[in-house]
Amino acid sequence: MVRGIRLAALITAILLASCGVLWAGDPDEIREEVFEFAQKPAVTREGDKVTIAFETKALCDVTIAIEEAGGLSTGSGRAKIIRHLVSGVLGPKAPQPLQKDSKKQVVIWDGKNDKGDYAENKDDLAVRVSLGLKPQFERNLFHSPYKRFGRNQPAIAAAADGVYVYEGDMADNVKLFDHEGNYVRTIYPFPADKLEQVKGLRWRTTPDGAKVPFKQGAHQVTFLGSGYNGGFDPATGFGVYLLKPLNAYDGLPSYPAASAMAVRGSRIALAGLTLVRMATDGGSGGIDFSGGKTAATGYVSSAYEYTGPRETMPRSAAFSPDGKYVYLTGFTWGESRDTAGACRQWLHGVQRIGYDAQAAAETFAGDLKLQPSGANAKPGAGENQLNSATAVACDAAGLVYVADYVNDRIQVFTPDGKFKESIGARRPAHVAVHQKTGEIWAFSWGMGHSGAIRVEGTERVEPKVTRFDAAPGHKKIAEYALPLGTVGAPGGWVGPMGTQYRVELDSWADPPTVWLVPELAGGGGSWAPWGLRLLTIKDGKLVVKRDFGALAGKAITCDAPTDGRQRLIVNPRTGRVYIMGGMGTAAGDRAVEIDPANGRNKFVDLPFGAEDICFDIDGLIYLRTGDMVVRYDPVSWREVPWDYGEEREAVSHCGGRAARVNAGLALPGSRPGPWYHCGGFGISPKGHLVVQCFNGGLGSNAKLDRPGKPALAAAVAKPYVPNIYPGRQRWGEIHIWDKHGKVLQEDATPGIAITDGVCIDNDDNVYVLTNPMRLADGKAALNRMTETLIKFRPGKGRVVTSGDVPVPLKAGQQPSRPADIAGPYQASAWVEGADWLYGGVGYAGTMRCTCWNARFSLDYYARSFAPEPDRFSVAVLDTNGNLILRVGKCGNVDDGKPLIADPAIKEPRSIGGDATA
């Protein structure tokens, strides 16, 4: 989902013309919030020179634009700006052409537009002087609550007030739908007005006194530390997983916080490695939301990378009727990534955990203990034994029903764990109890099992649902075919052998409804085949009552998977937004185009698989790979050649679709990066292009004589050796070209290593978001996973790094002041000659992997829009690094009332301010 923000002015005067900060939250970075003129703007003109004079009552922020007075627009209904003259905070660091330390201002416009050409028809132009930037939440884009959130299966739990759906894919989400499948509200992420009530959140205070909660995990996109996505210490950003997950290559590729869910009354239980406790109102119900251990330990004998004990999360959970206990089972893993002969291992027991307690879950039925040899407990067929326990359910009397898959039965236990009876059922993959009638519903399909069923096995289990009467003897009432849906090719990343499916019985719907997730999602360019489906009984059959994939398709014509990371790019000529999905692999063959004026979106096929795209002021699109930038007209998709371009027979990035190129811009010393993504590129209104070019290796691995090595030189577009100095880190170089493809500046920011975006303004200043965190007096003052935004004048700055670099610093060469930045590849580094540094922004990736990252953006006022994940906001900085304001605060999709209502959100909550959560 994209949240559209309109930046408006608090006070605006329009006249027809005659013609470095330290880190996020520095308390000195506050504008004076009085937005009034002491002297209203006056404009005089002498030929092409236009003088704009005014005085403010406070040192607030000021924006001056030259725009078409007739109200011509870019399609958004707003006046077209031909020159973004200045936008910044008055005071000691006021950006040019504003005068420093003065409320009285005289600004000269030279009569040129953003491209540097003299503007024509000045009598038809207007000067707009605005005081106070004011963000307003305008609308949701690319949003539907019925769209799958991620690649992993949702966990589903029905309750009296509706059906709850949990999804996790690094981040986590819990939604409530009514019994007809209509979206009601989001439970998690926690609502803005419930945050203070959630017990167990870790809070910190920023340098300017703001109180914000810490997010968990290596990717820092969740508060839930209950899964493998929460395996790192959020206070430091460093740490190790306690145990590698059994599920790493088996159905949970992106580490959700939980794999099972149950709901009873106002209580929600999410079970992963540990228990998560939530209330249905979005709080934690008065107790710590982090509970005891819920994972079981299984022994892996032929895993992909590891043999030995590992933790595995449950697939099924059920509350006792009094809400005191949660029963857990479905502990499973695949024994190999070789799917042709892979088998699935299951543990043979059920655990029970006290919801209110912090103690770990204990064995309730069956056997979960490892044998003295380290192997798993053996299965059995006795009354108190189980063989591959796949699901658990409870009835209103507290009886516990366990799907005993290989034994072809449902075992029933009393609340104290004693065996009561068996109900024969063919291969029960899931069991549910109707909470009003007491009927038992057994869901059967093929689940892989060691020694029983393999992916290519001969045994066939017909997918079906069997209903058993609640009365003693449990007579079979009815049987229906279960339409599981199309099964994709099983593999290590898509949870093979039956675990693609989940079902839930909604006892409160009339007639009862079966909620079905047909498969783990992945590939194909659409979530539609993997949408939740509601099945109801009609004429003795289960038929589709509602299809979430179809509903999402009506709201979002292009309902595509994210594949781990998204980038947002805007065409300044049309105002349309483009989403690049994927990790810079074949997903770059196309982009999603969104029209913010009406919210419509569609796929746009690109000429070849690109790692990234950008647009110039005329709307031409630039596609980049690891070693080339190619320019096109996006209307005709004809190549717009560079004067200094080179021909290539096939251009693509990391296996994407290839295309012949007539005159592309070859990047010096560049080749595709080892982590599938490059460090960013951008273009100024004048058409000057800045590109981060990968040039091999870090530290001592960055060979100084690499162009002379034949094996490496063959992969290089244009061999390039930068100037080497002691303390220079090597990763790549940033170069600048003009609109013809002629080099303007080589190696503009020496010593910068990994970057997550580079931009350039009309004065050829380079803005770089780099991996290392900002230091204050040489010490870490912020989250170690955050990055630093730096502004350089081309050729005027450099970075000096201690530690592992091609030419290490010798004694006495280290700068005699505390280091400015530090990170995995620049343990201690000094930034020399930069205009300013701003820390606490972006995301530096998981430890030494930067596949997941953040980007910043630069507008035509040279204002930086930098994400501050720790603060749940976007910082807006002027070209001198002054903080103008922040957009957003912590909340969820229901928080904030947009100017244009989202029809899917019936009851949005007002949160004040810019209304953006």
mmCIF file of all heavy atoms in Angstrom, residues 145-168:
data_model
loop_
_atom_site.group_PDB
_atom_site.id
_atom_site.type_symbol
_atom_site.label_atom_id
_atom_site.label_comp_id
_atom_site.label_asym_id
_atom_site.label_seq_id
_atom_site.Cartn_x
_atom_site.Cartn_y
_atom_site.Cartn_z
ATOM 1 N N PRO A 145 -7.839 -4.521 1.590
ATOM 2 C CA PRO A 145 -7.656 -5.415 2.748
ATOM 3 C C PRO A 145 -7.780 -6.880 2.381
ATOM 4 O O PRO A 145 -7.463 -7.746 3.196
ATOM 5 C CB PRO A 145 -8.790 -4.978 3.690
ATOM 6 C CG PRO A 145 -9.830 -4.377 2.809
ATOM 7 C CD PRO A 145 -9.075 -3.731 1.683
ATOM 8 N N TYR A 146 -8.233 -7.158 1.150
ATOM 9 C CA TYR A 146 -8.407 -8.544 0.716
ATOM 10 C C TYR A 146 -7.170 -9.081 -0.002
ATOM 11 O O TYR A 146 -7.114 -10.254 -0.347
ATOM 12 C CB TYR A 146 -9.629 -8.648 -0.197
ATOM 13 C CG TYR A 146 -10.874 -8.110 0.476
ATOM 14 C CD1 TYR A 146 -11.377 -6.849 0.153
ATOM 15 C CD2 TYR A 146 -11.516 -8.829 1.466
ATOM 16 C CE1 TYR A 146 -12.501 -6.339 0.787
ATOM 17 C CE2 TYR A 146 -12.640 -8.328 2.113
ATOM 18 C CZ TYR A 146 -13.119 -7.078 1.771
ATOM 19 O OH TYR A 146 -14.224 -6.575 2.422
ATOM 20 N N LYS A 147 -6.195 -8.223 -0.227
ATOM 21 C CA LYS A 147 -4.955 -8.648 -0.869
ATOM 22 C C LYS A 147 -4.098 -9.413 0.136
ATOM 23 O O LYS A 147 -4.011 -9.046 1.301
ATOM 24 C CB LYS A 147 -4.198 -7.417 -1.386
ATOM 25 C CG LYS A 147 -2.879 -7.750 -2.062
ATOM 26 C CD LYS A 147 -2.247 -6.525 -2.689
ATOM 27 C CE LYS A 147 -1.810 -5.513 -1.662
ATOM 28 N NZ LYS A 147 -1.019 -4.422 -2.270
ATOM 29 N N ARG A 148 -3.479 -10.473 -0.327
ATOM 30 C CA ARG A 148 -2.571 -11.204 0.544
ATOM 31 C C ARG A 148 -1.440 -10.295 0.991
ATOM 32 O O ARG A 148 -0.899 -9.511 0.220
ATOM 33 C CB ARG A 148 -2.010 -12.427 -0.184
ATOM 34 C CG ARG A 148 -2.972 -13.581 -0.300
ATOM 35 C CD ARG A 148 -3.124 -14.353 0.999
ATOM 36 N NE ARG A 148 -1.902 -14.997 1.390
ATOM 37 C CZ ARG A 148 -1.504 -16.210 0.977
ATOM 38 N NH1 ARG A 148 -2.276 -16.900 0.152
ATOM 39 N NH2 ARG A 148 -0.383 -16.743 1.387
ATOM 40 N N PHE A 149 -1.084 -10.413 2.236
ATOM 41 C CA PHE A 149 -0.063 -9.546 2.808
ATOM 42 C C PHE A 149 1.342 -10.011 2.448
ATOM 43 O O PHE A 149 2.253 -9.212 2.281
ATOM 44 C CB PHE A 149 -0.237 -9.521 4.330
ATOM 45 C CG PHE A 149 0.777 -8.697 5.064
ATOM 46 C CD1 PHE A 149 0.693 -7.325 5.081
ATOM 47 C CD2 PHE A 149 1.815 -9.303 5.748
ATOM 48 C CE1 PHE A 149 1.625 -6.567 5.761
ATOM 49 C CE2 PHE A 149 2.744 -8.556 6.432
ATOM 50 C CZ PHE A 149 2.650 -7.180 6.441
ATOM 51 N N GLY A 150 1.538 -11.319 2.358
ATOM 52 C CA GLY A 150 2.877 -11.839 2.077
ATOM 53 C C GLY A 150 2.815 -13.226 1.484
ATOM 54 O O GLY A 150 1.751 -13.748 1.142
ATOM 55 N N ARG A 151 3.978 -13.851 1.385
ATOM 56 C CA ARG A 151 4.065 -15.148 0.731
ATOM 57 C C ARG A 151 3.615 -16.295 1.616
ATOM 58 O O ARG A 151 3.241 -17.355 1.128
ATOM 59 C CB ARG A 151 5.513 -15.382 0.282
ATOM 60 C CG ARG A 151 5.944 -14.471 -0.841
ATOM 61 C CD ARG A 151 7.454 -14.407 -0.958
ATOM 62 N NE ARG A 151 8.022 -13.625 0.138
ATOM 63 C CZ ARG A 151 9.310 -13.365 0.251
ATOM 64 N NH1 ARG A 151 10.155 -13.835 -0.626
ATOM 65 N NH2 ARG A 151 9.755 -12.636 1.247
ATOM 66 N N ASN A 152 3.706 -16.149 2.935
ATOM 67 C CA ASN A 152 3.377 -17.240 3.840
ATOM 68 C C ASN A 152 1.871 -17.358 4.052
ATOM 69 O O ASN A 152 1.131 -16.393 3.956
ATOM 70 C CB ASN A 152 4.069 -17.017 5.191
ATOM 71 C CG ASN A 152 5.566 -16.940 5.029
ATOM 72 O OD1 ASN A 152 6.162 -17.810 4.423
ATOM 73 N ND2 ASN A 152 6.164 -15.884 5.537
ATOM 74 N N GLN A 153 1.443 -18.581 4.369
ATOM 75 C CA GLN A 153 0.020 -18.807 4.579
ATOM 76 C C GLN A 153 -0.529 -17.975 5.723
ATOM 77 O O GLN A 153 0.098 -17.866 6.769
ATOM 78 C CB GLN A 153 -0.221 -20.269 4.950
ATOM 79 C CG GLN A 153 -0.037 -21.251 3.848
ATOM 80 C CD GLN A 153 -0.125 -22.643 4.419
ATOM 81 O OE1 GLN A 153 0.458 -22.945 5.443
ATOM 82 N NE2 GLN A 153 -0.873 -23.496 3.752
ATOM 83 N N PRO A 154 -1.702 -17.434 5.572
ATOM 84 C CA PRO A 154 -2.379 -16.850 6.720
ATOM 85 C C PRO A 154 -2.801 -17.929 7.712
ATOM 86 O O PRO A 154 -3.078 -19.064 7.332
ATOM 87 C CB PRO A 154 -3.600 -16.176 6.101
ATOM 88 C CG PRO A 154 -3.297 -16.040 4.654
ATOM 89 C CD PRO A 154 -2.432 -17.210 4.317
ATOM 90 N N ALA A 155 -2.827 -17.561 8.979
ATOM 91 C CA ALA A 155 -3.469 -18.382 10.003
ATOM 92 C C ALA A 155 -4.839 -17.779 10.255
ATOM 93 O O ALA A 155 -4.988 -16.551 10.305
ATOM 94 C CB ALA A 155 -2.629 -18.393 11.281
ATOM 95 N N ILE A 156 -5.864 -18.604 10.408
ATOM 96 C CA ILE A 156 -7.246 -18.140 10.465
ATOM 97 C C ILE A 156 -7.892 -18.642 11.745
ATOM 98 O O ILE A 156 -7.709 -19.806 12.123
ATOM 99 C CB ILE A 156 -8.050 -18.653 9.251
ATOM 100 C CG1 ILE A 156 -7.254 -18.438 7.952
ATOM 101 C CG2 ILE A 156 -9.397 -17.969 9.151
ATOM 102 C CD1 ILE A 156 -7.806 -19.201 6.774
ATOM 103 N N ALA A 157 -8.647 -17.785 12.420
ATOM 104 C CA ALA A 157 -9.349 -18.181 13.636
ATOM 105 C C ALA A 157 -10.712 -17.512 13.666
ATOM 106 O O ALA A 157 -10.815 -16.285 13.624
ATOM 107 C CB ALA A 157 -8.546 -17.803 14.881
ATOM 108 N N ALA A 158 -11.772 -18.327 13.733
ATOM 109 C CA ALA A 158 -13.132 -17.803 13.787
ATOM 110 C C ALA A 158 -13.543 -17.552 15.230
ATOM 111 O O ALA A 158 -13.125 -18.263 16.148
ATOM 112 C CB ALA A 158 -14.101 -18.778 13.134
ATOM 113 N N ALA A 159 -14.363 -16.532 15.442
ATOM 114 C CA ALA A 159 -14.868 -16.191 16.770
ATOM 115 C C ALA A 159 -16.267 -15.613 16.613
ATOM 116 O O ALA A 159 -16.756 -15.412 15.493
ATOM 117 C CB ALA A 159 -13.937 -15.185 17.453
ATOM 118 N N ALA A 160 -16.906 -15.332 17.738
ATOM 119 C CA ALA A 160 -18.277 -14.842 17.686
ATOM 120 C C ALA A 160 -18.395 -13.516 16.952
ATOM 121 O O ALA A 160 -19.396 -13.243 16.280
ATOM 122 C CB ALA A 160 -18.823 -14.702 19.104
ATOM 123 N N ASP A 161 -17.380 -12.667 17.055
ATOM 124 C CA ASP A 161 -17.450 -11.341 16.433
ATOM 125 C C ASP A 161 -16.903 -11.300 15.021
ATOM 126 O O ASP A 161 -16.864 -10.235 14.401
ATOM 127 C CB ASP A 161 -16.740 -10.300 17.301
ATOM 128 C CG ASP A 161 -15.282 -10.638 17.545
ATOM 129 O OD1 ASP A 161 -14.890 -11.812 17.347
ATOM 130 O OD2 ASP A 161 -14.521 -9.746 17.953
ATOM 131 N N GLY A 162 -16.429 -12.409 14.492
ATOM 132 C CA GLY A 162 -15.924 -12.426 13.132
ATOM 133 C C GLY A 162 -14.789 -13.411 12.979
ATOM 134 O O GLY A 162 -14.562 -14.287 13.832
ATOM 135 N N VAL A 163 -14.051 -13.286 11.903
ATOM 136 C CA VAL A 163 -12.954 -14.191 11.599
ATOM 137 C C VAL A 163 -11.662 -13.382 11.548
ATOM 138 O O VAL A 163 -11.571 -12.378 10.832
ATOM 139 C CB VAL A 163 -13.190 -14.931 10.267
ATOM 140 C CG1 VAL A 163 -12.019 -15.844 9.945
ATOM 141 C CG2 VAL A 163 -14.488 -15.728 10.332
ATOM 142 N N TYR A 164 -10.672 -13.831 12.303
ATOM 143 C CA TYR A 164 -9.394 -13.149 12.405
ATOM 144 C C TYR A 164 -8.388 -13.833 11.488
ATOM 145 O O TYR A 164 -8.332 -15.068 11.398
ATOM 146 C CB TYR A 164 -8.887 -13.176 13.846
ATOM 147 C CG TYR A 164 -9.729 -12.338 14.788
ATOM 148 C CD1 TYR A 164 -10.925 -12.828 15.309
ATOM 149 C CD2 TYR A 164 -9.329 -11.052 15.148
ATOM 150 C CE1 TYR A 164 -11.712 -12.059 16.153
ATOM 151 C CE2 TYR A 164 -10.108 -10.278 15.994
ATOM 152 C CZ TYR A 164 -11.301 -10.783 16.495
ATOM 153 O OH TYR A 164 -12.069 -10.018 17.333
ATOM 154 N N VAL A 165 -7.590 -13.021 10.807
ATOM 155 C CA VAL A 165 -6.600 -13.536 9.863
ATOM 156 C C VAL A 165 -5.247 -12.927 10.201
ATOM 157 O O VAL A 165 -5.108 -11.705 10.260
ATOM 158 C CB VAL A 165 -6.978 -13.200 8.404
ATOM 159 C CG1 VAL A 165 -5.887 -13.681 7.452
ATOM 160 C CG2 VAL A 165 -8.323 -13.822 8.041
ATOM 161 N N TYR A 166 -4.277 -13.804 10.446
ATOM 162 C CA TYR A 166 -2.897 -13.357 10.687
ATOM 163 C C TYR A 166 -2.047 -13.706 9.476
ATOM 164 O O TYR A 166 -2.150 -14.799 8.913
ATOM 165 C CB TYR A 166 -2.286 -14.043 11.912
ATOM 166 C CG TYR A 166 -0.773 -13.931 11.923
ATOM 167 C CD1 TYR A 166 -0.160 -12.760 12.348
ATOM 168 C CD2 TYR A 166 0.028 -14.959 11.443
ATOM 169 C CE1 TYR A 166 1.224 -12.623 12.304
ATOM 170 C CE2 TYR A 166 1.405 -14.838 11.403
ATOM 171 C CZ TYR A 166 2.003 -13.670 11.829
ATOM 172 O OH TYR A 166 3.380 -13.543 11.778
ATOM 173 N N GLU A 167 -1.188 -12.761 9.075
ATOM 174 C CA GLU A 167 -0.189 -13.028 8.045
ATOM 175 C C GLU A 167 1.142 -12.451 8.478
ATOM 176 O O GLU A 167 1.197 -11.394 9.129
ATOM 177 C CB GLU A 167 -0.595 -12.409 6.709
ATOM 178 C CG GLU A 167 -1.820 -13.044 6.081
ATOM 179 C CD GLU A 167 -2.078 -12.503 4.692
ATOM 180 O OE1 GLU A 167 -1.397 -12.944 3.748
ATOM 181 O OE2 GLU A 167 -2.942 -11.634 4.559
ATOM 182 N N GLY A 168 2.213 -13.123 8.091
ATOM 183 C CA GLY A 168 3.548 -12.643 8.413
ATOM 184 C C GLY A 168 4.519 -12.899 7.293
ATOM 185 O O GLY A 168 4.540 -13.981 6.706
#
